[in-house]
Amino acid sequence: MKLLITTGGTSEAIDQVRAITNHASGNLGKIIAEQALRIGHEVTLVTTKQAVKPEPQKNLTIIEITNVESLQSTLEPLVKTHHVLIHSMAVSDYTPVYMTGLDEVQATEDITSLLDKKNAESKISSKDDYQVLFLKKTPKVISYVKQWNPTIQLIGFKLLVDVSKEELFAVARQSIERNGADYILANDLTDIKGNQHIAYLVDKTSEVQAQTKEEIAQLILETLEKGEKHG
Amino acid sequence: MKLLITTGGTSEAIDQVRAITNHASGNLGKIIAEQALRIGHEVTLVTTKQAVKPEPQKNLTIIEITNVESLQSTLEPLVKTHHVLIHSMAVSDYTPVYMTGLDEVQATEDITSLLDKKNAESKISSKDDYQVLFLKKTPKVISYVKQWNPTIQLIGFKLLVDVSKEELFAVARQSIERNGADYILANDLTDIKGNQHIAYLVDKTSEVQAQTKEEIAQLILETLEKGEKHG
């Protein structure tokens, strides 16, 4: 199969020297890619400069992106030419619009007018004691995947922090519903420590647990192979 | 000499999965450290997880920090036991205080009251179309260095974006004045491309140009040795 795997975390620029980044080492995506290559799949890995990566090898293509915009334009053609998307990248929810000192915000009657402003400076000045950064929601890239390619198998990822299993599964199933994902790999940051990485591969009706990154990779790849045989 | 070198860029957490980071590969600090080790200096390198680093070797100690707070508490004892601080780290100017939806900001009469709020969630919700992040100035770590150790030689760094040479030198000399720095390595992001890295080692009265990271390292180390002989 031709697998498209995303890993690492996107960065949204505030100016030319600062950005908002999502923490993501790229480790899990690297391990999934390595296991997939070992059992004979072709892998396209969409990742970031900072993320750890597999060694260059046969059947592996690596593409680097930076922000959500570049992720979206990179993924669209790739989604159309792959059988599976394993979307483990930590994607920024918000992107900076305008940053200013607290004074300007206080002096502005209708603060929604600030959402139309842009910073002219290449490096925003750091004179004010307090600054205010306005951010807008980024497009949900995962929601386009099945529109781009209705037959692709889509595995989304959901990382929450310190929630109950019930909430984790409910949020995962919302994402299945909204984005037409076949599976969501749901995990909680408090369950990721050293070699331990507890995660659940959730579909509409069931959830299967894995304990380490290697087990997660194995679980996903086995599930995909079953899906291919049945589908 | 015992050289303390900082490199990489600090990250200020917004919540447990997002942070504001300063772009910095760590390349320049790595090259300065390697040259310093080659000519027999002892080096303590204060850096970040993401930054590139020299290979482990004799006379090199590597210490990783994350945010401005950890930088400050790590540097204080080290500044007292080193002869020189080469402070090339890109240090965050601001750190997140509180993030909320635009609605709460609009509904708040005195928005300075939001500066006393804190996010209770471990991962801030991403429901709102617009969010507002309040940030406060971080302490200027460089301003404490000469208080911690009046005899340390202090080389600060100043990165601006797309300014005139006159402005760059003026801002560098302000930093010499304010922070008691012996030299400021002043550079402009638009002059850093591939192997080219134009920079100026500025003191109260003169500025010396370098063209590459290797030349910058050499210039700084030669200047320090002259200072030691004369001083």
Side-chain angles (χ1 to χ4, degrees):
Chain A
M1 279 193 281
K2 285 182 72 176
L3 307 190
L4 181 58
I5 302 172
T6 67
T7 190
T10 55
S11 262
E12 299 293 323
I14 297 173
D15 60 17
Q16 286 191 45
V17 298
R18 305 179 186 91
I20 296 190
T21 56
N22 273 40
H23 297 300
S25 63
N27 257 320
L28 180 55
K30 172 176 181 273
I31 290 170
I32 298 171
E34 287 168 343
Q35 282 202 21
L37 288 160
R38 213 172 298 136
I39 57 176
H41 296 300
E42 269 180 69
V43 172
T44 304
L45 188 68
V46 174
T47 182
T48 61
K49 196 177 163 190
Q50 290 76 28
V52 295
K53 297 169 188 73
E55 291 298 308
Q57 56 195 279
K58 202 178 145 239
N59 290 330
L60 172 65
T61 307
I62 294 180
I63 299 171
E64 287 184 10
I65 60 97
T66 53
N67 59 9
V68 176
E69 199 179 348
S70 68
L71 173 66
Q72 181 164 354
S73 60
T74 300
L75 278 191
E76 180 167 359
L78 294 173
V79 162
K80 293 173 178 168
T81 56
H82 285 75
H83 302 110
V84 174
L85 169 59
I86 300 170
H87 189 31
S88 76
M89 183 175 266
V91 182
S92 307
D93 294 315
Y94 290 91
T95 188
V97 174
Y98 181 61
M99 191 165 185
T100 186
L102 189 66
D103 293 351
E104 183 179 3
V105 183
Q106 286 182 292
T108 304
E109 204 165 324
D110 174 14
I111 61 166
T112 61
S113 67
L114 299 175
L115 301 172
D116 299 322
K117 286 205 162 188
K118 279 194 166 55
N119 293 94
E121 322 89 294
S122 307
K123 183 177 180 180
I124 300 168
S125 155
S126 52
K127 293 203 177 74
D128 299 282
D129 284 341
Y130 291 93
Q131 282 202 335
V132 185
L133 176 61
F134 292 89
L135 303 119
K136 69 170 182 216
K137 225 171 169 22
T138 54
K140 279 266 173 207
V141 175
I142 191 175
S143 71
Y144 298 111
V145 172
K146 290 276 176 160
Q147 296 174 34
W148 291 333
N149 179 357
T151 66
I152 199 166
Q153 284 207 68
L154 172 58
I155 321 256
F157 281 62
K158 201 78 191 175
L159 177 69
L160 296 180
V161 184
D162 203 12
V163 298
S164 68
K165 261 198 240 184
E166 290 66 35
E167 186 178 343
L168 186 62
F169 297 160
V171 170
R173 293 207 168 94
Q174 271 173 23
S175 179
I176 289 175
E177 193 67 39
R178 279 188 201 145
N179 305 308
D182 299 283
Y183 298 92
I184 296 289
L185 196 286
N187 49 174
D188 188 308
L189 194 61
T190 58
D191 292 333
I192 307 174
K193 286 166 202 135
N195 194 43
Q196 176 197 282
H197 188 148
I198 296 173
Y200 304 88
L201 190 61
V202 178
D203 68 9
K204 280 183 187 158
T205 54
S206 68
E207 53 289 315
V208 184
Q209 195 183 351
Q211 309 275 356
T212 63
K213 290 183 174 49
E214 287 74 17
E215 280 187 27
I216 294 172
Q218 207 177 340
L219 175 61
I220 290 176
L221 293 168
E222 283 176 5
T223 305
L224 288 172
E225 294 204 351
K226 274 188 228 155
E228 198 191 27
K229 277 176 207 139
H230 298 169
Chain B
M1 279 192 279
K2 287 182 72 177
L3 307 191
L4 180 58
I5 302 173
T6 67
T7 189
T10 55
S11 261
E12 299 294 320
I14 297 172
D15 60 18
Q16 285 191 42
V17 298
R18 305 179 187 92
I20 296 190
T21 54
N22 272 40
H23 297 302
S25 64
N27 256 322
L28 180 55
K30 172 177 180 272
I31 291 170
I32 298 171
E34 287 168 344
Q35 282 202 21
L37 288 160
R38 212 172 300 135
I39 56 176
H41 296 300
E42 268 180 70
V43 172
T44 304
L45 187 67
V46 173
T47 182
T48 61
K49 196 177 163 189
Q50 290 77 27
V52 296
K53 298 170 188 73
E55 292 298 308
Q57 56 194 280
K58 201 180 145 234
N59 289 332
L60 172 65
T61 306
I62 294 181
I63 299 170
E64 286 184 13
I65 60 96
T66 54
N67 60 9
V68 176
E69 198 178 348
S70 67
L71 173 66
Q72 182 165 354
S73 61
T74 299
L75 278 191
E76 180 168 357
L78 293 173
V79 162
K80 292 176 179 168
T81 55
H82 284 74
H83 302 110
V84 173
L85 169 59
I86 299 170
H87 189 31
S88 77
M89 182 174 268
V91 182
S92 307
D93 294 315
Y94 290 91
T95 188
V97 174
Y98 181 59
M99 191 166 184
T100 185
L102 190 65
D103 294 352
E104 183 178 2
V105 183
Q106 286 182 292
T108 304
E109 204 165 323
D110 174 14
I111 61 168
T112 60
S113 68
L114 299 175
L115 301 172
D116 299 322
K117 286 205 162 189
K118 277 193 166 55
N119 294 94
E121 323 88 293
S122 306
K123 183 177 180 180
I124 299 167
S125 156
S126 52
K127 291 203 179 73
D128 299 283
D129 285 340
Y130 290 94
Q131 283 202 334
V132 185
L133 177 61
F134 293 89
L135 304 118
K136 70 169 182 214
K137 224 170 171 22
T138 54
K140 280 267 173 208
V141 175
I142 190 175
S143 72
Y144 298 111
V145 171
K146 289 275 175 160
Q147 296 174 34
W148 292 333
N149 179 357
T151 65
I152 199 167
Q153 283 207 68
L154 171 59
I155 320 257
F157 280 61
K158 200 80 194 174
L159 177 68
L160 296 180
V161 183
D162 203 13
V163 298
S164 68
K165 261 197 239 183
E166 290 65 36
E167 187 177 343
L168 186 62
F169 297 160
V171 170
R173 293 205 169 97
Q174 271 172 22
S175 179
I176 289 176
E177 193 66 37
R178 278 188 201 146
N179 304 308
D182 298 284
Y183 297 92
I184 296 290
L185 195 286
N187 48 175
D188 189 309
L189 193 61
T190 59
D191 292 333
I192 307 174
K193 287 165 201 135
N195 192 43
Q196 176 197 281
H197 188 146
I198 296 172
Y200 304 87
L201 191 60
V202 179
D203 67 9
K204 280 182 189 160
T205 54
S206 68
E207 53 285 318
V208 184
Q209 194 183 352
Q211 309 276 356
T212 63
K213 290 184 174 49
E214 287 73 18
E215 280 186 27
I216 295 172
Q218 207 179 338
L219 175 61
I220 290 176
L221 293 169
E222 284 175 4
T223 305
L224 288 171
E225 294 205 351
K226 274 186 227 152
E228 198 192 28
K229 277 179 207 138
H230 298 170

